[in-house]
Amino acid sequence: MNIFLISVNIVALLAIIGLLIFMQKKHVSFTKRVFTGLGAGIVLGALLQAIYGVDSEVLTNTADWYSIVGSGYIQLLMMIVVPLVMVSIIQSIINLEKSADLGKMSAWIIGFLVSTAMVAALIGIGSAALFDLNADQIDAGQAEVDRGDMLQEKLGDVQDLTAPQKILSFIPSNIFLDMTGQRATSVIAVVIFSIIVGIAVLGLRRKNPEQAEMFTKIVNAFYAVVMRIVTLILRLTPFGILALMANTVAKTDVAGIVQLGKFVIASYVALFVIMIFHLVLVGLFGLNPMTYLKKAMPVLGFAFTSRSSAGTIPLNIQAQKNSLGVDSGIANMSASFGATIGQNGCAGMYPAMLAVMIAPTVGIDPFTPAFIIKLVLIIGISSFGVAGVGGGATFAALIVLSSMGLPVALAGLLISIEALIDMGRTAVNVNDSMVAGTLTARILGKLNLKTFNDKTAIEDSSSSL
């Protein structure tokens, strides 16, 4: 009987995939297909949970089959991230007119990422105060206790690192190891290596222009191939979002959400305010926030569903270049840096809210100026090197809470709603990287305003998808 029901569920998914393929053949825009997949996934997931229940064997097995489409799509994106980041940054640097432009680009992008993370921390503190969040209000079950013990053990991996040691961890000692993504700072390490290669080519161009020209041609050819692979993978986006959202909704712990509803609401209020802050920044630099938001939404929708900032890098770069008119080099660098630096949701808002919740349990008033200033500064410094995949927020929380002298085990109380909150956090993380790229391009005069203001550019850029 279970096999029959699982087969019916698989057929339902395939039927919706068939609808999305039909829409593609009818030349329905990429954006509309993405949001159709998102909406259909929500409905399908809700129906599966309503019919079978979150703990049923049928639902568990169905989710495994759905993961072939959803998780498989994420793995394809992760596969292309390192080649894309590497070749994009190398190509961007060797095409620079002045090597000094590299320093300006990096400084502005990192400046935006870190400063907005600190503002996000203040917003998180404000939301925690508004909703009167306190870790003592949450009942800990066995799952929460186990999670807390795991975090306490994991703390040993990060608490002994000094600030200089954390900075040192960004520098690659084995680039092939970092190409496998085995370290939390692997993406930054690949970026640093790529920058060094690009600078070396600029130097070679002065001493041996023939060899530099040959290498440039190889890089440009490799870049064209990588971007073609990206296009092929991105064509699967509507299907991947459909399966990911169906699984997420089907396996959502409704009881946990009800119990921790106040924290969920407080988190999304904070995330909403951070998004408004981002749009205000866009407006302050003379750009239309609504035009920006419309063009960023497909990327944010995928980030929300996938919960992977790193996996969103290819879509992020494409959208910045083709829809927002951001210079290629800036788009590549902001998307790559933004996957591990200054994540407003995971490294800014979330650790700040946890710190405010946990401080009273050890007799500390979290709303004193001294506590808030110390917390915001620590968040700004520690926002470097947060892994751009699911779990990055946990890593950030461990660093911040341990630096503040607070018990990290209490962070395990939120395990039942972690996935739900992480979707919103990831979307805000990715939006921050897109804003950083857009504003950096605006400041440096490398933003194509015609493309940015063209309301059909988002449709045109996705026509090949």
Side-chain angles (χ1 to χ4, degrees), residues 291-298 323-324 451-454 457-458:
T291 299
Y292 165 84
L293 186 60
K294 178 184 177 183
K295 296 186 175 190
M297 279 307 294
S323 299
L324 294 170
T451 301
F452 182 92
N453 292 318
D454 182 0
I458 187 170

Side-chain angles (χ1 to χ4, degrees), residues 182-461:
Q182 291 301 304
R183 301 193 300 143
T185 56
S186 283
V187 174
I188 294 181
V190 170
V191 169
I192 292 173
F193 176 78
S194 303
I195 290 173
I196 293 172
V197 172
I199 293 173
V201 175
L202 292 179
L204 184 64
R205 187 174 290 162
R206 292 191 296 270
K207 296 183 178 181
N208 196 327
E210 291 183 1
Q211 290 185 354
E213 183 63 24
M214 183 182 299
F215 183 82
T216 299
K217 289 180 179 179
I218 293 173
V219 170
N220 288 335
F222 188 36
Y223 178 79
V225 172
V226 169
M227 292 310 297
R228 183 57 187 166
I229 296 173
V230 169
T231 299
L232 293 174
I233 295 174
L234 291 183
R235 286 180 177 176
L236 304 174
T237 300
F239 315 130
I241 284 184
L242 164 66
L244 286 167
M245 185 52 73
N247 270 354
T248 299
V249 174
K251 296 188 292 184
T252 296
D253 183 358
V254 178
I257 294 173
V258 171
Q259 180 187 1
L260 298 172
K262 189 163 72 168
F263 185 83
V264 174
I265 295 172
S267 297
Y268 272 93
V269 166
L271 292 170
F272 177 76
V273 174
I274 294 170
M275 285 291 293
I276 296 298
F277 165 63
H278 289 170
L279 295 179
V280 169
L281 274 181
V282 171
L284 289 175
F285 281 83
L287 302 173
N288 188 321
M290 291 300 102
T291 299
Y292 165 84
L293 186 60
K294 178 184 177 183
K295 296 186 175 190
M297 279 307 294
V299 183
L300 302 184
F302 173 73
F304 182 87
T305 309
S306 67
R307 297 170 54 201
S308 172
S309 298
T312 311
I313 287 176
L315 200 60
N316 187 341
I317 292 174
Q318 288 282 73
Q320 285 196 55
K321 291 194 304 182
N322 298 337
S323 299
L324 294 170
V326 176
D327 171 76
S328 176
I330 295 175
N332 293 323
M333 200 164 289
S334 63
S336 303
F337 280 160
T340 48
I341 295 177
Q343 296 187 348
N344 284 196
C346 290
M349 178 274 292
Y350 184 67
M353 291 184 71
L354 283 182
V356 170
M357 287 177 60
I358 293 172
T361 66
V362 290
I364 298 175
D365 181 0
F367 300 111
T368 61
F371 182 91
I372 292 174
I373 292 172
K374 180 181 178 182
L375 177 60
V376 171
L377 289 176
I378 287 176
I379 284 175
I381 296 170
S382 65
S383 64
F384 284 81
V386 177
V389 294
T394 299
F395 183 77
L398 287 176
I399 295 175
V400 172
L401 293 178
S402 62
S403 299
M404 295 292 294
L406 300 174
V408 300
L410 290 176
L413 296 172
L414 306 174
I415 182 175
S416 61
I417 56 170
E418 180 69 20
L420 178 62
I421 298 174
D422 197 39
M423 292 191 292
R425 290 191 310 232
T426 306
V428 167
N429 295 341
V430 172
N431 190 63
D432 183 47
S433 71
M434 296 182 74
V435 168
T438 302
L439 298 186
T440 297
R442 176 67 163 165
I443 291 169
L444 299 181
K446 294 188 175 184
L447 182 69
N448 188 324
L449 291 176
K450 182 178 179 181
T451 301
F452 182 92
N453 292 318
D454 182 0
K455 295 182 180 179
T456 64
I458 187 170
E459 306 294 344
D460 295 340
S461 69

